[in-house]
Amino acid sequence: MPLDDSRPLPAGKLPNELLDRFLKAMDCTDPSVLVGPRVGEDVAAVSLAGEDTLVLKSDPITFATDAVGYYAMVVNANDLATSGARPRWMLATLLFPPGTLPGRVRQVMLELQQAASQFGVSLCGGHTEITDAVTRPVVVGQLAGTVSRSRLIDKRKMRAGDQVLLTKGAAVEGTALIAREFAPRLLELGLRQEEVEQCRRFLTDPGISIVREAGIAADCKEVRALHDVTEGGVATALRELGAAGGHRLRVYPGRIPVFGPTARICKLLDLHPLGLIGSGSLLIACGPEGSPGLSEDLHEAGIPVACIGEVLKEGSGVEALQREGGRPAPWPAFETDEIARLYSQ
């Protein structure tokens, strides 16, 4: 007997009847995919003929409920793009709480498929389950991509004297996420409906994807390292960049762009924008000879970019200055992302 789409799903794996129906509506036409998604398959298989380097990435989406499929595709593609790799194949594990309706599962699958098409990724397998281990939808993505070995970007190539650039501004993802998950609270605090809608659109404008700017940066021979801003915001991402590259960084906090809507939301909710989840911003370590040309290329592509500091000698940590040649400034540290603190409240 066909399953009733209006009835909540029981705990356990998604019933094969539904899984088969949903998967048949999704295309996987990449000729390199030898074994794709279908009922009964335990793995995906791809051909790597002629490729030098396979790059792998896995990341879960645990905060978002709205557009969770899109988030899953973008945050994994972002990390892959920082290596210079082209995102190619994705596996997705979808976990839903008991009581979820079939239409909700199908919606997330469609979001994933649409995002995959946008980024040229083949969604070639995964797992779907209803479980009381989660209280809201969780999507765990595993993305694979390829890059020739000569074009692989390795943060360990950073050098003293490299300039540190930041695209867009702080907390792009956090701005969109808060507007989508906490809209009633923002309205109660005095934000206008049109301002909430503007912040919701941060998901795509300026956008939480850094794949495009990473591609532009990867074409610059002077680029030594790329790092996307995620949990912990710009403050944490800079520490991570320095640690991965084995160098201490000098940063000028006053140069870090913060969009006006982001600043207003953070003020209303008592959040620090530099500690707020920030997919959509790319950190770039670039040699001083190539930095002006790269900045010009990014601006011509419509991507804002600012020079916020430089790479120092080998070591670790972040040294903040009020201005060049000025007095030291405090550099914030966040044990947890500001969005997690907001959820805990």
Side-chain angles (χ1 to χ4, degrees):
M1 179 180 296
L3 291 174
D4 183 355
D5 283 5
S6 65
R7 296 182 61 184
L9 293 164
K13 293 174 66 175
L14 189 69
N16 283 345
E17 178 189 323
L18 283 177
L19 181 61
D20 185 56
R21 189 202 314 169
F22 294 164
L23 291 179
K24 284 180 177 177
M26 303 170 69
D27 294 326
C28 185
T29 57
D30 185 341
S32 67
V33 178
L34 305 179
V35 179
R38 54 181 178 263
V39 173
E41 286 293 355
D42 295 317
V43 300
V46 299
S47 170
L48 287 181
E51 299 291 351
D52 289 329
T53 306
L54 176 68
V55 182
L56 304 169
K57 170 62 188 177
S58 181
D59 219 344
I61 300 300
T62 56
F63 292 130
T65 56
D66 180 55
V68 63
Y70 181 79
Y71 276 103
M73 179 61 67
V74 171
V75 299
N76 280 280
N78 282 353
D79 279 342
L80 211 68
T82 62
S83 70
R86 171 194 165 197
R88 297 281 299 275
W89 308 284
M90 185 174 188
L91 302 177
T93 296
L94 315 182
L95 304 177
F96 297 89
T100 298
L101 295 175
R104 178 61 173 139
V105 178
R106 183 173 182 274
Q107 177 188 359
V108 174
M109 286 188 172
L110 287 175
E111 288 174 4
L112 279 166
Q113 180 63 55
Q114 290 166 358
S117 297
Q118 179 181 337
F119 290 98
V121 171
S122 295
L123 189 59
C124 52
H127 176 79
T128 307
E129 184 172 334
I130 313 302
T131 172
D132 59 9
V134 299
T135 57
R136 58 179 179 263
V138 171
V139 178
V140 183
Q142 180 173 337
L143 190 60
T146 54
V147 62
S148 63
R149 186 160 302 178
S150 63
R151 291 178 62 86
L152 179 67
I153 297 174
D154 186 338
K155 295 180 177 70
R156 292 171 295 181
K157 295 179 180 178
M158 284 170 52
R159 303 177 189 170
D162 287 349
Q163 295 190 344
V164 179
L165 311 179
L166 178 71
T167 65
K168 298 172 184 166
V172 172
E173 181 183 4
T175 303
L177 188 56
I178 291 171
R180 289 168 176 268
E181 301 290 324
F182 296 92
R185 186 168 174 184
L186 292 173
L187 293 171
E188 288 177 4
L189 292 171
L191 209 64
R192 299 192 307 275
Q193 182 65 47
E194 55 267 31
E195 292 178 303
V196 173
E197 291 302 318
Q198 180 187 10
C199 293
R200 284 174 57 86
R201 290 193 295 272
F202 268 47
L203 185 68
T204 55
D205 182 18
I208 65 169
S209 171
I210 55 88
V211 172
R212 187 161 167 252
E213 52 255 54
I216 294 172
D219 285 336
C220 176
K221 293 181 180 179
E222 288 292 310
V223 166
R224 247 82 86 168
L226 301 176
H227 187 54
D228 66 318
V229 179
T230 54
E231 284 188 51
V234 174
T236 302
L238 281 162
R239 285 193 172 90
E240 293 171 346
L241 175 63
H247 282 73
R248 189 169 176 80
L249 303 181
R250 175 179 292 145
V251 178
Y252 304 98
R255 297 184 187 178
I256 298 174
V258 179
F259 291 104
T262 302
R264 287 195 290 276
I265 282 182
C266 288
K267 185 176 181 179
L268 286 173
L269 296 172
D270 191 27
L271 303 175
H272 199 308
L274 298 188
L276 184 57
I277 191 167
S279 293
S281 302
L282 177 66
L283 286 168
I284 305 169
C286 182
E289 299 86 0
S291 182
L294 174 58
S295 296
E296 183 177 347
D297 290 344
L298 289 167
H299 282 300
E300 287 182 356
I303 301 168
V305 61
C307 180
I308 64 169
E310 58 260 355
V311 178
L312 303 178
K313 63 181 182 180
E314 292 184 1
S316 62
V318 175
E319 170 190 303
L321 296 180
Q322 292 178 348
R323 61 182 181 278
E324 193 165 353
R327 299 174 58 184
W331 187 246
F334 300 90
E335 292 184 5
T336 59
D337 192 284
E338 289 286 77
I339 194 72
R341 185 165 68 85
L342 182 60
Y343 271 101
S344 69
Q345 295 171 0

